[in-house]
Amino acid sequence: MALSNQQVTEIKRARSPLARQLDSGFVWLTGMFAVGVALVLVAIAVRVGWEALPAIQQFGAGFLTSSRWDPVEDIYGALPQIYGTLVSSLIALLIAMPIGIGVAIFLSEDFLPNKIQRPIVFMVELLAAIPSVVYGLWGIFVLIPILRNMGVALNAGLGWIPLFSTRPTGPGMYVAGVILAIMILPIIAAISRDALVAVPPELRQASYGLGATRWETLFKVILPAAFSGIVGGIMLAMGRAMGETMATTMVIGNANKINPSLFDQGSTIASLLANQFAEASGLQISSLMYAAFVLFLITLIVNVLAELVVRRVRMKV
Amino acid sequence: MSDSQALISRSLRRNPWAPRTLFSNVMTGLAIACAVIAIIPLVAVLLYVLINGVSRLDLNLFTQVQPPPRVENGGLGNALQGTFYTVGIATLLAVPFGVMAAVFLSEFVRDTRLARWIGFATNVLSGVPSIVAGTFIYSAIVLTTKTFSAFSGGVALAILMLPVIVRTATEALELVPSELRQASVGLGATRFQTVAGVVLPAALPGIVTGVMLSVARAAGETAPVLFTALGWPTWIQSIWQQANTLSLLVYKFATAPYPNQQQLAWAGSLLLVLLVLVTNILARFVIRRRH
Amino acid sequence: MVRWVAPASLCALTLSLTACGGGQAPSSGPSAATSAPPAAGGAGLAIKGAGATAPYPLYQKWFDEFSKANGVQIGYESVGSGAGVKQFLAETVDFGATDSALKDDERAKFPAKRGKAIQVPTTGLFVVFAYNLDGVDNLKLSRDSFCGIVDGSIKTWNDAKIAKDNAGVNLPADPITWVHRSDGSGTTSIFTKHIEKACPNWKAGSGKSVEWPTGTGAKGNEGVTAQIQQTKGAIGYTEFSYAKENNLKMASLQNKAGEFIAPTPDAAAKALTGVKIPEDFAVSVPDPEAKEAYPIVSLTWLLLYENYPDAAKVDALKNLMKWAMKDGKAVATDLGYIPLPDEVATKVLTAVDGIKAGQ
């Protein structure tokens, strides 16, 4: 600071009391907006939780372990949807994790001249900007026919494995997993790349100096150093995959069931909401709110943990 | 290492078939393969959207309303109108809110615990699933106003835009050199004058970029408007009416059995993708010029 | 694009904000852009409805022709019967539409200041089993067969139960994909009411939304139709006109008398002939007895308020119903719906005369 505190105070004293009050009023105003951002988060939790209350009182924790979703008898449980949310996100992670980290390594090392590397970074980022509903449309008309044929072959050859035990007919958990993988790949790639670039260059130089190859250096020095950042990125991606709605709803098959076969149809909490919310009433709507609350909590926990991990990495940068 | 002498005397070059080098080369190949695999879906989505959507990309697409089932032609005019309304409302709400919050975070409490906490909450807010934002607005606005409306859709989108704007605006403000602020204060400006007259103008390109990106994102969001704006088959006269948006229409027409509607779903997707492409490229241009 | 989009949207927004200050702005015709001045008089009135998807093709055509003739703009969003009833009770629409007559608990939620709920049928409709199976054109499904498909106990197309009634047809060994609705739906209600009666092993009951033991969910009659179109080996239930317009194959069903009946409007009309009409028009024929009747048939209803705040809307709605019961008949027949018999239509118009302006 060029001015000492005393000088600043003197300048302030020179002003009329009204001007001073207006000025601190401005600071307060901006402060209210800033706190308001955090309050939105609280408001979501309180409001959704409040609407869910009748269902919470009726079903309690049993809601999480029951797989009945029966509007005729007014009995609700969201186990298949919780299962579907977790499984579709897991498939997505299993596909996107190795590829995303691979991309991050490729784009953080000096494999390519900057001129070529930058457009590729841009293209991977674009992948995250394409609207979910466009992925859904593409999924229905392009991806499903391709994946179905691959799935039929897998089922014919490896049908004895429970994961492939039903014959794919079109939409299903596997399509949702693949679409989600495409959607979260850029998150994993971008955050992992940040983490890799943030590793101090001295570590790399030391490793090279000891005679290690590029990949020995990567595996033994750089990746371990960037590990927590990569984990943070993966968790953020997981949070995103679990909350993703449109693309999933359009390709998952929307069936209320749990089947170990990935080729069978399923549903997620988000797709359940997208399908039934507009029609529901009474206990069904508070059960949907309950499901939304569960989704909110799961993603909140995942995001908070991810945020803590990523933040630690960013602090180091 | 008895043969190291011999190795060095031969050449400093590594033998490409030595296990270590082979491993390195294979891994390099894999990394390249990963990059290619990551790009394939992007190219495939863009190509399909372009090929299937471009045939309907004409004036009618913008001036005609959505066609009912089994009716040929038609356009996306009312959906575009709905998207302008909802995204417009979201922008009007989220931009002042977000920029004011960013001013507080970067100008008045930078690097304090409070700033970190609010920044944290902002990031967590951006991770809230968009469908949950939709249920929240349904309960908070649709139920209280007793009507689905473009307005409630706009508020739901504003919740998604808010954290993006806070974050990008805070970053843009923090990049403004502190000399500028000192000079302003030195000339006797109040904090308000410093912010409004010096800091905000200097950070404007960065803030506008963030707003553009969040507008493009909001235009493509479907889940938050699904049961807030709900949909409406023709032009709307006010923001208190139900409305269709481009994204909603793409969803409905994508899952409809009518070829004409499916074509329009592709054309709508093309518009959304173009919006995303244009804003992202512009944003990139702005960012590059700054550095 | 962005360059001109931004000012255009801002301009539209300001316009709408000023226009909506005092509640509903009078609307201009559908062809007019947002900047057009509001039209004067009764023409230019906007009425909004929401609900059932099954009669949507008919309503869309009706409302379109009525609008052209009378200048009243009627917007109808086919969100499903469940949502239609919900919006009707929440007073977010001027009328609701449902394939499943109002239940007592729904009537109990009706806002008192709007008088009472007036429920009138508009047309009869029927639900078909539409399928996508190469080389099989005239599938016959016995009660045993379709019950097995719906509850998941029949898993492949060449199952003995299906083969029994389809001699000489080459049924593939492919798996059956059952396609049902994922949203609340009057079509589901009509369908499950029949299944409940016809299938002794059916446990999920009947309603707008039930717990399906098997299959894939799709949204709306549109979604189910599209899903069947896109999936080889799929079979699902959808309203007749959707299957017909999209050239889906439809199965002949065994009715209560044991006959296999092809889904045609004539056969469906037989299910409704001679049925006694109750006060609230809530006719239900879950399993018609007549020998030549197609088994899955229902009426579909419009839901009106007794009291409307706006006299113009009352007139418009009365005119609409008069028009629909007379001039609208041809459209209904053309699209594959079952027009109401004259004596029912007269009763409907009497009931509609009960709506009035004022709270």
Side-chain angles (χ1 to χ4, degrees):
Chain A
M1 276 302 246
L3 297 169
S4 75
N5 278 340
Q6 200 196 344
Q7 281 167 308
V8 172
T9 330
E10 274 163 18
I11 291 168
K12 278 186 188 160
R13 277 216 192 97
R15 285 193 201 112
S16 75
L18 180 68
R20 272 214 314 272
Q21 270 172 12
L22 277 179
D23 204 38
S24 49
F26 172 66
V27 176
W28 273 100
L29 188 68
T30 59
M32 272 161 55
F33 278 109
V35 174
V37 176
L39 285 183
V40 171
L41 195 62
V42 179
I44 293 177
V46 170
R47 188 90 207 196
V48 175
W50 173 255
E51 296 279 349
L53 215 55
I56 295 175
Q57 283 166 345
Q58 179 85 22
F59 305 116
F63 185 75
L64 310 176
T65 53
S66 153
S67 52
R68 264 189 95 177
W69 190 273
D70 189 342
V72 178
E73 305 278 333
D74 247 358
I75 296 171
Y76 304 99
L79 185 63
Q81 285 72 33
I82 295 170
Y83 170 84
T85 305
L86 295 177
V87 169
S88 59
S89 315
L90 271 180
I91 301 173
L93 274 189
L94 285 179
I95 300 171
M97 214 159 52
I99 300 177
I101 297 174
V103 172
I105 291 175
F106 183 68
L107 296 177
S108 63
E109 293 282 311
D110 50 358
F111 286 118
L112 292 174
N114 237 343
K115 261 194 185 146
I116 309 177
Q117 190 174 321
R118 242 190 270 134
I120 299 183
V121 173
F122 179 60
M123 283 169 84
V124 174
E125 279 171 10
L126 261 188
L127 215 47
I130 289 180
S132 167
V133 72
V134 175
Y135 279 118
L137 174 72
W138 181 77
I140 291 176
F141 291 102
V142 182
L143 194 60
I144 285 183
I146 298 172
L147 287 181
R148 178 170 49 202
N149 290 339
M150 287 166 62
V152 167
L154 262 179
N155 170 251
L158 299 168
W160 49 274
I161 303 176
L163 286 180
F164 308 127
S165 58
T166 59
R167 207 163 120 176
T169 52
M173 201 71 102
Y174 66 121
V175 190
V178 172
I179 286 258
L180 286 176
I182 297 173
M183 299 179 72
I184 61 172
L185 192 140
I187 300 175
I188 298 182
I191 296 178
S192 302
R193 182 167 177 264
D194 282 356
L196 289 172
V197 172
V199 173
E202 294 82 8
L203 283 180
R204 179 192 300 269
Q205 288 154 10
S207 174
Y208 282 164
L210 288 171
T213 62
R214 180 202 293 274
W215 284 93
E216 283 163 354
T217 307
L218 270 168
F219 276 114
K220 294 190 177 137
V221 179
I222 307 215
L223 280 176
F227 184 72
S228 60
I230 295 174
V231 169
I234 290 170
M235 287 170 64
L236 275 184
M238 175 95 183
R240 168 90 193 272
M242 290 192 300
E244 184 45 59
T245 310
M246 298 323 294
T248 313
T249 307
M250 290 161 89
V251 300
I252 201 168
N254 302 312
N256 181 47
K257 61 182 162 189
I258 299 178
N259 190 324
S261 171
L262 302 181
F263 296 142
D264 209 343
Q265 292 86 22
S267 57
T268 66
I269 296 179
S271 74
L272 178 76
L273 289 168
N275 273 305
Q276 302 204 339
F277 200 88
E279 335 276 314
S281 57
L283 195 56
Q284 189 180 1
I285 206 149
S286 47
S287 298
L288 287 169
M289 285 288 190
Y290 193 175
F293 193 62
V294 171
L295 177 64
F296 176 77
L297 283 185
I298 299 178
T299 50
L300 190 79
I301 292 167
V302 171
N303 278 313
V304 166
L305 290 177
E307 208 49 57
L308 291 174
V309 176
V310 172
R311 177 163 288 222
R312 247 185 38 208
V313 177
R314 293 256 158 86
M315 300 272 253
K316 274 196 291 191
V317 177
Chain B
M1 293 287 272
S2 58
D3 57 347
S4 62
Q5 299 276 324
L7 252 173
I8 289 168
S9 64
R10 238 186 290 153
S11 154
L12 272 172
R13 224 165 243 271
R14 286 182 172 127
N15 171 8
W17 299 106
R20 292 175 69 195
T21 329
L22 190 65
F23 172 73
S24 243
N25 290 342
V26 168
M27 289 309 294
T28 305
L30 279 179
I32 295 173
C34 283
V36 173
I37 292 173
I39 301 298
I40 287 175
L42 177 74
V43 175
V45 169
L46 293 183
L47 270 183
Y48 273 97
V49 168
L50 187 67
I51 292 169
N52 290 303
V54 80
S55 63
R56 297 298 289 268
L57 193 62
D58 53 22
L59 196 62
N60 284 342
L61 191 69
F62 299 91
T63 57
Q64 303 280 305
V65 296
Q66 64 182 83
R70 298 167 298 105
V71 173
E72 287 309 304
N73 304 317
L76 299 168
N78 62 314
L80 282 162
Q81 184 201 18
T83 294
F84 293 156
Y85 278 25
T86 50
V87 175
I89 291 162
T91 312
L92 287 180
L93 290 172
V95 170
F97 199 131
V99 172
M100 290 290 261
V103 165
F104 184 72
L105 294 180
S106 81
E107 303 303 306
F108 306 135
V109 292
R110 195 192 296 195
D111 293 331
T112 64
R113 179 171 287 194
L114 180 64
R116 272 200 299 276
W117 270 105
I118 293 174
F120 187 76
T122 311
N123 285 351
V124 174
L125 182 62
S126 70
V128 170
S130 53
I131 188 107
V132 173
T135 58
F136 167 59
I137 293 303
Y138 173 84
S139 139
I141 297 185
V142 176
L143 287 185
T144 47
T145 61
K146 284 193 166 183
T147 178
F148 298 94
S149 62
F151 175 76
S152 58
V155 181
L157 290 178
I159 290 185
L160 298 182
M161 285 176 78
L162 187 61
V164 183
I165 290 177
V166 172
R167 210 163 38 204
T168 50
T170 309
E171 278 169 17
L173 289 166
E174 286 182 348
L175 279 177
V176 175
S178 49
E179 289 82 6
L180 281 179
R181 295 186 184 87
Q182 289 159 6
S184 168
V185 172
L187 289 170
T190 62
R191 283 178 288 193
F192 172 73
Q193 286 163 336
T194 307
V195 168
V198 178
V199 183
L200 274 180
L204 200 61
I207 295 175
V208 170
T209 308
V211 171
M212 258 166 30
L213 289 177
S214 65
V215 162
R217 182 181 161 199
E221 279 287 355
T222 316
V225 288
L226 207 52
F227 31 77
T228 50
L230 198 73
W232 185 247
T234 181
W235 301 107
I236 57 170
Q237 275 74 39
S238 95
I239 58 167
W240 307 105
Q241 255 184 299
Q242 285 170 224
N244 239 332
T245 70
L246 211 46
S247 54
L248 264 181
L249 208 63
V250 170
Y251 169 53
K252 281 177 191 160
F253 282 4
T255 49
Y258 311 102
N260 184 37
Q261 294 192 343
Q262 289 172 4
Q263 275 179 15
L264 283 172
W266 284 107
S269 294
L270 180 59
L271 292 183
L272 288 175
V273 166
L274 282 178
L275 182 66
V276 163
L277 275 179
V278 168
T279 48
N280 274 275
I281 290 169
L282 278 180
R284 218 178 151 62
F285 187 67
V286 173
I287 291 167
R288 188 181 296 173
R289 218 181 37 180
R290 218 166 7 144
H291 291 303
Chain C
M1 198 190 100
V2 176
R3 208 168 265 271
W4 68 263
V5 152
S9 76
L10 265 181
C11 147
L13 195 69
T14 8
L15 265 171
S16 78
L17 282 170
T18 47
C20 60
Q24 281 291 14
S27 73
S28 43
S31 60
T34 46
S35 53
L45 185 72
I47 290 182
K48 58 176 175 173
T53 64
Y56 175 49
L58 175 64
Y59 287 173
Q60 178 264 315
K61 192 98 192 214
W62 269 2
F63 298 158
D64 190 41
E65 293 198 359
F66 181 75
S67 289
K68 276 181 194 146
N70 295 273
V72 177
Q73 187 198 342
I74 302 175
Y76 181 76
E77 192 69 7
S78 64
V79 287
S81 296
V85 171
K86 196 173 136 189
Q87 290 202 43
F88 175 69
L89 295 176
E91 298 178 74
T92 59
V93 287
D94 296 315
F95 66 88
T98 175
D99 300 333
S100 159
L102 282 180
K103 289 193 211 117
D104 288 341
D105 61 325
E106 287 166 339
R107 279 186 187 275
K109 285 185 209 140
F110 187 80
K113 68 174 187 322
R114 304 299 294 263
K116 60 179 200 288
I118 295 177
Q119 169 176 282
V120 287
T122 51
T123 188
L125 50 77
F126 57 113
V127 177
V128 300
F129 276 83
Y131 63 97
N132 178 349
L133 198 60
D134 289 336
V136 182
D137 288 330
N138 296 305
L139 187 68
K140 284 182 185 154
L141 292 177
S142 65
R143 294 202 153 199
D144 256 7
S145 306
F146 70 69
C147 291
I149 291 174
V150 173
D151 70 20
S153 60
I154 295 181
K155 294 189 189 319
T156 55
W157 281 106
N158 61 354
D159 192 283
K161 281 181 182 164
I162 303 178
K164 202 177 78 175
D165 305 303
N166 293 281
V169 179
N170 183 23
L171 291 164
D174 295 341
I176 294 174
T177 306
W178 173 242
V179 184
H180 57 76
R181 292 283 289 270
S182 60
D183 50 343
S185 145
T187 314
T188 303
S189 175
I190 297 169
F191 181 75
T192 49
K193 269 182 198 146
H194 176 67
I195 294 295
E196 199 178 24
K197 288 265 189 251
C199 303
N201 292 327
W202 180 250
K203 291 187 185 69
S206 66
K208 285 174 201 151
S209 168
V210 301
E211 189 179 21
W212 293 101
T214 184
T216 300
K219 203 168 179 179
N221 272 301
E222 294 96 333
V224 169
T225 309
Q227 190 74 66
I228 296 170
Q229 242 176 20
Q230 287 156 11
T231 314
K232 290 260 172 287
I235 182 165
Y237 63 97
T238 178
E239 195 276 322
F240 172 71
S241 69
Y242 284 87
K244 180 184 157 213
E245 290 297 331
N246 292 286
N247 299 316
L248 292 182
K249 297 171 194 170
M250 295 171 251
S252 299
L253 300 185
Q254 192 179 32
N255 66 10
K256 194 170 187 186
E259 301 290 322
F260 285 93
I261 308 292
T264 61
D266 286 343
K270 294 210 166 72
L272 289 172
T273 41
V275 176
K276 206 172 160 295
I277 309 278
E279 185 78 2
D280 61 353
F281 297 102
V283 173
S284 173
V285 276
D287 199 10
E289 313 262 345
K291 198 166 169 255
E292 291 149 339
Y294 180 80
I296 317 176
V297 181
S298 172
L299 295 179
T300 184
W301 295 270
L302 278 196
L303 303 172
L304 304 168
Y305 302 100
E306 189 182 15
N307 298 330
Y308 283 85
D310 184 351
K313 278 184 183 170
V314 173
D315 290 343
L317 284 167
K318 281 181 182 169
N319 285 337
L320 170 69
M321 287 309 289
K322 265 180 216 142
W323 183 89
M325 291 297 113
K326 208 165 137 266
D327 303 315
K329 268 187 169 180
V331 180
T333 314
D334 185 43
L335 288 175
Y337 291 87
I338 315 159
L340 297 177
D342 285 338
E343 75 270 16
V344 182
T346 318
K347 280 187 191 164
V348 166
L349 292 179
T350 317
V352 172
D353 262 338
I355 68 173
K356 56 183 192 284
Q359 293 282 343

